Amino acid sequence: MTTLMNRTGSTMTVGDAFTRVFGPTATVRFEAFDGSATGPVEAPLHLELRSKRGLDYLLTAPSTLGLARAYLQGDLVLEPIDEGNPYDVLRYIEDNLAPSRPSLRELPELARFFRMYRPQIHEIPKEETPSQLRRMARGFTHGRARDAEAIHHHYDVSNRFYELLLGPSMAYTCAVYPTLDATLEEAQEEKFDLVCRKLELRPGMRLLDVGCGWGGMVRHAVLHYGVTAIGVTLSQEQASWGAERMAREGLDDRGDIRHGDYRDVAEGGFDAVSSIGLTEHIGVANYPAYFRFLRGKLLEGGRLLNHCITRPDNQHPGIPSRGFINRYVFPDGGLTGSGDIVTAMEDQGFEVRHHENLREHYAMTTRDWSNNLSANWDAAVAEAGLNVARVWGLYLAGSRLSFERNRIQLHQVLASKTTELGESGFGLRPTWGS
C-alpha cells in the first residue's frame, strides 16, 4: 500500500482522506489506487478511484466538474450503475455521501495531505468546453458567434442521437402529463396543444416560434390549428430535420423551419409568438432586449407564451462558469427566477395574464428521456461516442433530481401586447383548461 509521509512522520492513505472528508459512517465502499479502502464491503454503492489522475481531477476541481472529469476519463468507477440512467446512483450519493465537517484536529493533517500530494493539472476531456475566460477569445458572451457555437455544441450531436433520446416527437422541452401514467409522446403532444390553447390559435393566424428545435410546435400548430408559422433555430441539424419532416407531411406551404438567429427574422405582424426553451440560452442581462424584440413582432392584442427553466428564487441569476452544466451541457446558459422574467416582460410593455410552474412535469420528462437513453444505450454510444452518452446520462439524471427537489423549476408565462385602450384579447376566465 502506498502512503504519503507528512512532516510529522504520520501517514495518510487516500482512503483515510476519504474517511476524514465524508465521515467514518458513510454507507459507501471506497477503494483507491494506492490499495487503501474504507466503508462496508456490503454497501449498495462502490466507488473505485483508479489513478492519481482521478484524484488530481477531484482536488483541482472539487465539485461536480471534478467528479465528471474523473468519471468520463475512466478514473472513477461507480458500481452498480446504469450509465444511461444513473439517477439511482446520483440520488444515493446525494442522500448518503455529504461531506462532513472535519474536526480542528483533523484539518492540519488534511491540509498536509493535499499539499504533499501536489495535485497536477491534466488535460480535460475533449467533450468539455473551455472556461468562460477562454471562450472570450471567441467573442463576447451572447454575441452572435458565441451563441451559434454554444447551440452547435449542445444541439448538433446528431439527429439520430436525439431520435434515440427523445422518441418520435423530437421535442426537447418539458412535456405536460395529462395523467400520471401518460406516455412521453402523449405528454409532448399535450404540451404543444396547451401552448396553442393558451395562445388561442385559430385558422388564418400567423405564429412565430423562436428556438423552434426540430419544429414540433410549428408542425402541431399548422396541422391542428390551421395557422401559418415560421420557426427559427440556430441549429443547422434541427432546421434540416424539421424542414424535411414538414415537406414529407405536405405542411411546408404553411410551416417554414429556418436555420438562423431569431434576431434576423424580418417579418412582423404576428398574432402570436411562442418561445419554448430559448430563454435559457440568451443570458439574463439580455431579457429586456429579447422581450422588446418579441413584442415588436406582434400585432396589438397579440400573445406571447414564454416557456423556460427557472430558478426557485431571483437572487442568483446565471450558471457558475466552473459547473458541470456550463462546461459540458449548456455553454453560456443562464437561469433566474420567474419573477425576473415577469418583470422583464412587464417592463417591455407586456401585460402578464397567466403564470404557472410545471416543475414536476419536467422531472417526469427527464425521467422518460433517461429511460430512452438507457434502453437505447448501445445505439447511442455507437452514434455519439461513449463520453457524449455518459454526459447525457449524468445531465438528465441530475436534472431530474434537481426538478424533484425544487432546485430548478419550469415556468410558462403568458402575456398580451395589450392596446393603449386596454384591449388584451382575453376573456374573463382562462379558456384553455388544465
Side-chain angles (χ1 to χ4, degrees):
M1 178 183 297
T2 302
T3 58
L4 296 174
M5 185 74 66
N6 67 28
R7 293 176 183 174
T8 64
S10 65
T11 60
M12 179 183 286
T13 66
V14 177
D16 291 334
F18 182 91
T19 300
R20 296 290 199 282
V21 172
F22 294 104
T25 61
T27 55
V28 172
R29 177 67 175 176
F30 175 78
E31 300 175 358
F33 58 90
D34 65 349
S36 61
T38 185
V41 174
E42 68 276 9
L45 178 63
H46 286 217
L47 307 179
E48 181 184 355
L49 191 61
R50 289 185 166 178
S51 69
K52 178 183 180 298
R53 181 179 68 172
L55 183 58
D56 290 343
Y57 282 133
L58 300 181
L59 296 181
T60 56
S63 65
T64 56
L65 187 58
L67 287 168
R69 289 170 175 171
Y71 170 65
L72 293 176
Q73 298 290 63
D75 298 313
L76 177 64
V77 177
L78 302 88
E79 292 290 348
I81 186 174
D82 177 348
E83 293 195 293
N85 186 6
Y87 170 80
D88 290 338
V89 167
L90 297 186
R91 185 178 63 177
Y92 189 86
I93 289 174
E94 183 169 309
D95 291 343
N96 298 279
L97 200 60
S100 62
R101 180 171 294 182
S103 67
L104 292 176
R105 180 181 58 81
E106 293 172 324
L107 283 174
E109 190 174 8
L110 278 172
R112 284 193 293 269
F113 171 79
F114 294 145
R115 184 170 61 250
M116 293 184 64
Y117 205 89
R118 297 177 182 172
Q120 298 175 320
I121 302 297
H122 296 275
E123 184 177 4
I124 62 176
K126 64 183 179 61
E127 293 77 17
E128 182 175 326
T129 61
S131 68
Q132 192 88 319
L133 183 61
R134 288 174 182 253
R135 291 206 297 271
M136 286 296 292
R138 306 179 187 184
F140 290 108
T141 306
H142 298 299
R144 291 179 181 241
R146 277 274 291 273
D147 279 352
E149 183 177 315
I151 294 300
H152 171 74
H153 172 84
H154 188 74
Y155 293 100
D156 289 345
V157 178
S158 88
N159 286 330
R160 178 56 184 157
F161 177 83
Y162 278 104
E163 288 171 352
L164 296 168
L165 178 73
L166 304 178
S169 72
M170 287 295 278
Y172 180 46
T173 46
C174 175
V176 175
Y177 289 75
T179 62
L180 287 174
D181 60 353
T183 67
L184 176 61
E185 291 305 305
E186 291 169 340
Q188 291 293 11
E189 187 83 358
E190 173 62 18
K191 181 267 301 296
F192 288 132
D193 205 71
L194 177 62
V195 174
C196 291
R197 298 196 307 267
K198 285 183 174 181
L199 293 173
E200 285 200 44
L201 297 182
R202 299 184 301 276
M205 282 186 167
R206 298 175 65 241
L207 168 71
L208 173 63
D209 184 41
V210 291
C212 68
W214 289 270
M217 176 63 191
V218 170
R219 177 181 177 274
H220 189 93
V222 168
L223 184 61
H224 297 287
Y225 285 83
V227 304
T228 58
I230 294 174
V232 60
T233 172
L234 271 176
S235 167
Q236 179 65 68
E237 293 274 344
Q238 289 181 334
S240 298
W241 192 98
E244 181 181 343
R245 181 174 185 180
M246 295 293 286
R248 187 170 65 248
E249 297 184 7
L251 302 174
D252 53 330
D253 59 331
R254 290 183 290 140
D256 179 15
I257 306 295
R258 298 179 183 176
H259 173 231
D261 194 297
Y262 74 90
R263 290 165 286 197
D264 291 331
V265 174
E267 294 91 340
F270 292 95
D271 298 281
V273 173
S274 51
S275 173
I276 306 175
L278 178 58
T279 319
E280 299 92 329
H281 295 287
I282 66 173
V284 177
N286 295 314
Y287 283 2
Y290 179 65
F291 290 119
R292 183 166 59 249
F293 176 86
L294 296 185
R295 188 175 185 275
K297 293 298 175 183
L298 284 167
L299 294 169
E300 288 199 342
R303 297 186 185 186
L304 165 67
L305 188 288
N306 193 78
H307 166 125
C308 73
I309 301 171
T310 58
R311 291 187 181 277
D313 62 66
N314 301 280
Q315 303 299 316
H316 306 96
I319 295 178
S321 61
R322 287 176 56 83
F324 167 76
I325 293 292
N326 187 274
R327 298 291 289 273
Y328 281 93
V329 185
F330 287 118
D332 295 336
L335 304 177
T336 189
S338 63
D340 283 342
I341 293 171
V342 169
T343 297
M345 293 172 75
E346 291 177 337
D347 286 350
Q348 297 307 314
F350 280 106
E351 180 186 11
V352 172
R353 302 290 306 202
H354 189 265
H355 177 189
E356 69 172 313
N357 186 354
L358 298 170
R359 173 174 65 84
E360 292 86 355
H361 292 263
Y362 220 160
M364 296 168 70
T365 306
T366 49
R367 174 202 66 194
D368 288 348
W369 288 339
S370 292
N371 289 338
N372 282 347
L373 181 59
S374 178
N376 296 300
W377 180 251
D378 290 343
V381 170
E383 181 66 28
L386 176 61
N387 274 6
V388 170
R390 281 178 166 176
V391 166
W392 278 86
L394 289 175
Y395 156 57
L396 293 176
S399 295
R400 175 185 172 185
L401 197 59
S402 291
F403 282 115
E404 288 177 345
R405 299 192 171 181
N406 196 30
R407 291 192 287 266
I408 47 178
Q409 302 174 348
L410 187 289
H411 280 86
Q412 285 190 351
V413 181
L414 178 64
S416 168
K417 183 179 178 178
T418 300
T419 71
E420 291 184 2
L421 296 178
E423 297 168 348
S424 67
F426 283 81
L428 293 178
R429 298 297 301 155
T431 59
W432 49 85
S434 59

